[in-house]
Amino acid sequence: MAAFKEIYQEYGKKVYRFLLSLTGSPQEAEELLQETFYQAFLHVDKFEGRCSIYTWLCQIGKNAWLQERRRKSRFSEKELGELTLSDNSPSPEDISVRREEYERIRRAVQRLEEPYREVFVMHVFGGVKLREIALQYGKTESWARVTYYRAKQKICEDNERGKEV
């Protein structure tokens, strides 16, 4: 138990920042952090050491986040309620265009095949270094770089096709 407390003290803030980058919400990131460490505690015997503890914890957190996202609808009442207009706020049209763009990109990321989606999400939203991702997959850093680059290309291509429709 003391060893696990040390792991939390060493990685808790880093994992929280990773989750915050995924959620954009301090409250949701905190809840996911608790779930992440709870799951890690329950399944610590399954940690094989093929990647760093930080990468393993981020993977657990990302899975918890994805599970939570599946439960939520596309736009929650809270998100819509947080949109307020002021003098320097974007117009409703701008908000609509941004949402459409966000949704196109989100769908493009979801349509990516593995490992492209995984590598992209971990690197962009999680800030996990490509070297760490490569270690997690048992591959070279070059593999991770190429996979990330191809994922970006596929997202851009998919996004361009979405604009044409």
Side-chain angles (χ1 to χ4, degrees):
M1 189 66 139
F4 201 78
K5 183 178 179 181
E6 290 174 15
I7 290 172
Y8 181 83
Q9 289 174 339
E10 184 173 346
Y11 297 104
K13 288 181 182 177
K14 288 181 180 179
V15 175
Y16 172 78
R17 285 192 302 270
F18 167 75
L19 295 169
L20 185 59
S21 72
L22 290 175
T23 64
S25 163
Q27 295 83 9
E28 190 175 354
E30 184 63 39
E31 289 174 18
L32 287 171
L33 180 68
Q34 292 173 13
E35 179 65 19
T36 298
F37 277 92
Y38 174 70
Q39 292 298 323
F41 182 76
L42 290 177
H43 303 288
V44 72
D45 57 317
K46 294 181 181 175
F47 178 68
E48 298 174 355
R50 291 185 300 171
C51 61
S52 72
I53 293 174
Y54 171 69
T55 302
W56 181 65
L57 290 168
C58 286
Q59 183 69 32
I60 294 170
K62 184 189 68 110
N63 289 338
W65 173 71
L66 289 171
Q67 186 176 9
E68 187 64 27
R69 293 284 298 172
R70 283 185 213 111
R71 283 188 221 147
K72 291 183 176 181
S73 62
R74 263 181 48 191
F75 295 109
S76 70
E77 293 295 321
K78 180 181 172 191
E79 288 171 339
L80 293 173
E82 289 174 353
L83 294 175
T84 57
L85 297 177
S86 65
D87 295 338
N88 59 0
S89 293
S91 70
E93 293 83 14
D94 290 339
I95 292 170
S96 178
V97 168
R98 285 183 191 162
R99 280 193 171 171
E100 288 173 12
E101 181 73 14
Y102 169 80
E103 280 302 308
R104 268 198 308 273
I105 292 170
R106 187 185 63 76
R107 285 191 301 268
V109 170
Q110 287 178 335
R111 281 191 291 267
L112 286 174
E113 296 175 5
E114 292 300 339
Y116 299 108
R117 178 177 47 223
E118 181 86 11
V119 170
F120 185 84
V121 168
M122 287 179 70
H123 186 63
V124 171
F125 298 114
V128 179
K129 294 183 166 104
L130 291 170
R131 181 176 0 115
E132 286 289 324
I133 295 170
L135 286 172
Q136 181 177 352
Y137 278 91
K139 306 277 187 177
T140 65
E141 187 174 347
S142 294
W143 172 88
R145 288 185 189 285
V146 168
T147 304
Y148 172 69
Y149 176 76
R150 288 180 181 163
K152 282 192 334 186
Q153 280 185 315
K154 289 175 186 236
I155 291 168
C156 289
E157 290 169 5
D158 196 334
N159 193 33
E160 286 303 313
R161 277 194 304 273
K163 287 180 181 175
E164 294 170 3
V165 173

